[in-house]
Amino acid sequence: MTSTSTSSPHAPARRWRNDPHIRAILFQAIALGLVVWLGWALFDNTLTNMQARGINTGFGFLENQAGFGVLFSLIPYNESMSYFRVFLVGLLNTLLVSAIGVVLATILGFIIGIARLSSNWLVSKIALAYIEIFRNIPLLLQIFFWYFAVIRGLPSARNSLSVLDMAYLNNRGIYLPAPQPDTGFGFVVLAFALAIVASLAWSAHVRHRQERTGRRLPVFWVNAALIIGLPALVFLGLGMPLHWSIPVLHGFNFGGGMAFIPELGALLLALTMFTAAFIAEIVRSGIESVNKGQREAASALGLRPGRSLRLVIIPQALRVIIPQLTTQYLDLFKNSSLATAIGYPDLVAVFMGTTLNQTGRAVEIVAMTMGVYLSISLLISLGMNFYNQRIALRGGRS
């Protein structure tokens, strides 16, 4: 007796509906379509309303003459230049304070976070007091404190605090010697770039050799010799093609050298101190997440506490630290927009502020500003996620 089995014609459809992978793709496609449709509807509605009211649209205004000055600029700028030049000035000023703030906040945050776990009672309590004070005071108030209470209280230009009669600090900013490259200095820059590439190659070679043989060659001193030594040899060989412009007091202000305005200093101090308090707690939690047995094993191998922290604890703690650190970097970058409160000429102040008031192109200017913050935030997230994946893979192989 034989039996035949017949499959239902609706079976493939049921399998398709029950496949979680296919359903996930379908729901994501539907969600993406809804977002695109909503965005287009908002854009079309805005454009229609602006045309109905006779409001001009487009980005042609970026070629018009700005007609106003900017307090601080990393690139040449004057009133006769275009609004697009103003956009570049504001963007570079925003990137400047954000990049320096990220570096300083990371260094300070790691120091405070490690000090928080110190066996020394006084050091640990000082670190705790720092964290509790700076992360619980609003950032805007900290910016006002550094700007109005600290920097504005510095001496005037004629009574500046001086370092070797070459650098000066007063209530108008910091004045430092400015390097002035001569002919041939480009070769020094090229030598420095080659030294960076060589140091990266050497580090990769040492890592692969250690994985194969278990022996580790020196990395720090070789890289230091490459990065410092090679450009120095080229610099000396070309007859030192560089001179310095020293700031000199003329009347009520300094001329020559390079100047950093007080608004930059106040904003940088506030962003650094505020963000470092959060990074310190992230570092502390990351270190404490490492199993106690790792510390005991490092101690049993004869490693001193400093080397144990650097070679054993921190590399493992980074897998906990990096994801949270990404959020702090993003917050610092976006918090830099508070610069407008004290007049630092960042992107929000000079482009979404002065330029918008003069041109009335609110939609275009706000869209460009939002696009910049979104793009840079995504780039920061992409870079940090890439590094986090490398850390995770390295931990998986060990």
Side-chain angles (χ1 to χ4, degrees), residues 142-259:
Q142 293 190 40
I143 293 174
F144 287 154
F145 169 78
W146 290 110
Y147 185 64
F148 293 107
V150 177
I151 294 181
R152 286 302 182 188
L154 292 173
S156 62
R158 289 192 172 185
N159 299 312
S160 298
L161 303 176
S162 172
V163 178
L164 302 177
D165 291 331
M166 298 176 61
Y168 300 90
L169 174 65
N170 56 59
N171 56 12
R172 295 188 179 183
I174 301 175
Y175 299 85
L176 302 172
Q180 304 291 325
D182 298 325
T183 303
F185 188 77
F187 291 103
V188 180
V189 177
L190 178 61
F192 179 75
L194 292 175
I196 294 291
V197 174
S199 66
L200 293 175
W202 173 253
S203 299
H205 169 71
V206 170
R207 184 173 63 254
H208 293 318
R209 186 178 186 275
Q210 183 181 13
E211 291 175 353
R212 292 194 311 268
T213 65
R215 296 182 178 180
R216 182 175 178 83
L217 297 174
V219 175
F220 176 79
W221 293 111
V222 173
N223 287 345
L226 284 171
I227 296 174
I228 299 175
L230 182 59
L233 288 175
V234 175
F235 181 73
L236 294 174
L238 294 175
M240 297 187 292
L242 181 72
H243 68 277
W244 295 85
S245 172
I246 308 298
V248 179
L249 182 64
H250 296 291
F252 295 99
N253 208 348
F254 284 88
M258 56 182 176

Side-chain angles (χ1 to χ4, degrees), residues 182-397:
D182 298 325
T183 303
F185 188 77
F187 291 103
V188 180
V189 177
L190 178 61
F192 179 75
L194 292 175
I196 294 291
V197 174
S199 66
L200 293 175
W202 173 253
S203 299
H205 169 71
V206 170
R207 184 173 63 254
H208 293 318
R209 186 178 186 275
Q210 183 181 13
E211 291 175 353
R212 292 194 311 268
T213 65
R215 296 182 178 180
R216 182 175 178 83
L217 297 174
V219 175
F220 176 79
W221 293 111
V222 173
N223 287 345
L226 284 171
I227 296 174
I228 299 175
L230 182 59
L233 288 175
V234 175
F235 181 73
L236 294 174
L238 294 175
M240 297 187 292
L242 181 72
H243 68 277
W244 295 85
S245 172
I246 308 298
V248 179
L249 182 64
H250 296 291
F252 295 99
N253 208 348
F254 284 88
M258 56 182 176
F260 294 94
I261 57 176
E263 291 79 7
L264 172 61
L267 181 64
L268 194 56
L269 280 170
L271 288 174
T272 299
M273 305 290 278
F274 180 77
T275 309
F278 290 91
I279 293 178
E281 280 295 276
I282 292 171
V283 171
R284 179 194 61 79
S285 64
I287 293 175
E288 290 189 333
S289 70
V290 178
N291 193 290
K292 185 179 179 181
Q294 297 293 315
R295 300 183 182 88
E296 295 173 348
S299 177
L301 291 173
L303 292 179
R304 296 180 178 179
R307 289 179 60 83
S308 172
L309 185 68
R310 181 169 59 89
L311 299 176
V312 179
I313 307 303
I314 294 296
Q316 297 182 67
L318 282 177
R319 285 173 285 180
V320 176
I321 293 173
I322 293 300
Q324 302 176 73
L325 202 59
T326 303
T327 302
Q328 295 305 316
Y329 288 170
L330 292 173
D331 287 345
L332 188 148
F333 170 63
K334 290 179 285 189
N335 286 337
S336 67
S337 61
L338 292 173
T340 187
I342 56 173
Y344 176 72
D346 75 324
L347 184 63
V348 173
V350 300
F351 191 63
M352 210 172 79
T354 308
T355 301
L356 191 153
N357 291 333
Q358 291 193 178
T359 63
R361 301 296 182 90
V363 174
E364 294 89 340
I365 290 176
V366 172
M368 288 179 65
T369 306
M370 291 173 61
V372 166
Y373 278 93
L374 175 62
S375 300
I376 297 177
S377 295
L378 291 176
L379 287 175
I380 293 173
S381 298
L382 182 65
M384 295 296 290
N385 288 336
F386 174 75
Y387 180 70
N388 188 45
Q389 289 176 359
R390 289 195 60 188
I391 295 294
L393 288 174
R394 187 177 304 168
R397 288 195 303 266

